[in-house]
Amino acid sequence: MSMEQVRKNYGVPAKRGGRVEYTGEGKPELGTICSASNGRLNIRLDRFKQPMPFHPTWELRYFDEVLS
């Protein structure tokens, strides 16, 4: 599933390079969307070097602007 399909199917503003906040482990963490595959977003959380798969609607907040 492509990034465009993820946007259409889940109604999220996901885009490569977009910033998100993941809140699934009790403490908010910022990350960057790297790609999409198999209906998941591959997001590199700031404290990791490699991206990990996340469901597009689970515990994610999307930012419209790039955060520094």
Side-chain angles (χ1 to χ4, degrees), residues 2-67:
S2 70
M3 191 75 70
E4 182 178 350
Q5 290 171 317
V6 167
R7 284 192 293 269
K8 286 181 182 179
N9 287 341
Y10 295 105
V12 296
K15 62 182 178 183
R16 184 172 285 111
R19 296 288 284 167
V20 295
E21 180 183 57
Y22 172 63
T23 58
E25 294 184 9
K27 179 181 147 195
E29 292 190 66
L30 295 176
T32 303
I33 300 171
C34 298
S35 62
S37 61
N38 299 320
R40 300 286 188 259
L41 294 173
N42 295 310
I43 298 172
R44 183 183 46 78
L45 297 177
D46 290 353
R47 66 183 175 113
F48 294 110
K49 291 186 179 188
Q50 298 296 322
M52 298 178 288
F54 289 85
H55 189 279
T57 63
W58 184 255
E59 304 293 340
L60 288 177
R61 181 169 67 129
Y62 294 84
F63 295 104
D64 291 333
E65 298 178 10
V66 174
L67 299 177

